[in-house]
Amino acid sequence: AQSVTQLGSHVSVSEGALVLLRCNYSSSVPPYLFWYVQYPNQGLQLLLKYTTGATLVKGINGFEAEFKKSETSFHLTKPSAHMSDAAEYFCAVRFSGGYQKVTFGTGTKLQVIP
Amino acid sequence: KAGVTQTPRYLIKTRGQQVTLSCSPISGHRSVSWYQQTPGQGLQFLFEYFSETQRNKGNFPGRFSGRQFSNSRSEMNVSTLELGDSALYLCASSLGQENTEAFFGQGTRLTVV
């Protein structure tokens, strides 16, 4: 079955430290991949997406993610965490043939410690 | 360029009532999708409309329905509300191709009492 998994429902990092949020998908065909961020009582904001082409994707706010087909992963990273990065992050997948149906991971809440 | 607009932002309803939520997509976007977000179930896909036609549907009971108008605006209706329907309902719009991203509104917070 097609699915997406985010490892770690809560991640804490110190301000200035590396941020690494993990995402793996299960599909025989590489899907379209997205990372979204959600602040409290807000909608979702797109950080970055992978559709085709370069496997290292740069997004907004200094985030980037790398699509690794062999590992079926799309982990999100940021070299140096800021206090403003504290939010919930969702990995999302759109499988081929699903039109606009997006399957979301369960989310990872990022805490940034000063 | 205006973003996705959802109205109302907050809503309180009583069990058994029905509710209609509205979503105005980004200008030029023909696809509108709806999602339910709850602490227990996370983000779950409800349905997608494209050019007034439902193109995809999630695994929700028939009490959840939607429609899309010729101007791409969409409404979602929930009938016979249950306590478990309390959630943040998010609308997303896109151009409609599989490789295009979805843009989300701020959501409607529905509380059923």
Side-chain angles (χ1 to χ4, degrees):
Chain A
Q2 299 170 327
S3 64
V4 57
T5 302
Q6 287 184 246
L7 291 176
S9 59
H10 291 81
V11 170
S12 293
V13 300
S14 298
E15 191 175 15
L18 171 72
V19 176
L20 171 60
L21 304 182
R22 300 177 186 274
C23 174
N24 288 86
Y25 66 89
S26 174
S27 174
S28 58
V29 177
Y32 302 106
L33 299 155
F34 310 85
W35 274 99
Y36 285 89
V37 61
Q38 186 178 35
Y39 297 97
N41 292 315
Q42 297 293 317
L44 279 73
Q45 181 183 11
L46 180 70
L47 282 175
L48 48 81
K49 67 173 183 178
Y50 171 79
T51 54
T52 58
T55 56
L56 182 62
V57 181
K58 294 188 185 298
I60 62 171
N61 302 338
F63 284 94
E64 61 182 38
E66 186 172 10
F67 168 61
K68 291 187 177 181
K69 183 178 177 181
S70 61
E71 298 177 8
T72 61
S73 69
F74 191 56
H75 301 331
L76 181 71
T77 60
K78 182 174 181 177
S80 177
H82 295 163
M83 295 300 295
S84 60
D85 294 329
E88 189 159 19
Y89 293 79
F90 292 92
C91 179
V93 176
R94 180 181 296 143
F95 296 105
S96 181
Y99 298 112
Q100 290 293 297
K101 177 182 177 180
V102 175
T103 300
F104 286 89
T106 50
T108 299
K109 286 188 177 177
L110 176 66
Q111 180 186 24
V112 181
I113 303 167
Chain B
K1 195 174 187 180
V4 179
T5 303
Q6 290 187 247
T7 57
R9 286 293 311 279
Y10 301 92
L11 207 50
I12 300 175
K13 289 288 188 178
T14 304
R15 268 184 306 174
Q17 287 187 312
Q18 74 164 12
V19 67
T20 298
L21 312 182
S22 179
C23 173
S24 293
I26 292 171
S27 177
H29 285 190
R30 295 165 65 190
S31 169
V32 174
S33 301
W34 289 89
Y35 294 82
Q36 181 195 66
Q37 186 177 25
T38 59
Q41 299 297 319
L43 278 152
Q44 293 188 289
F45 174 79
L46 280 155
F47 31 66
E48 182 219 354
Y49 286 85
F50 182 83
S51 294
E52 302 179 66
T53 301
Q54 188 181 86
R55 204 163 58 164
N56 212 335
K57 190 178 189 301
N59 190 26
F60 277 80
R63 299 186 298 105
F64 292 81
S65 63
R67 58 178 176 169
Q68 187 180 33
F69 302 95
S70 59
N71 62 358
S72 293
R73 190 177 70 85
S74 177
E75 289 182 346
M76 190 192 90
N77 184 275
V78 187
S79 62
T80 320
L81 283 166
E82 300 176 359
L83 295 179
D85 297 332
S86 295
L88 180 66
Y89 290 89
L90 292 165
C91 164
S93 82
S94 78
L95 291 170
Q97 289 80 37
E98 286 190 341
N99 63 345
T100 56
E101 63 268 38
F103 295 87
F104 284 79
Q106 292 192 304
T108 294
R109 172 74 64 185
L110 172 64
T111 302
V112 182
V113 297

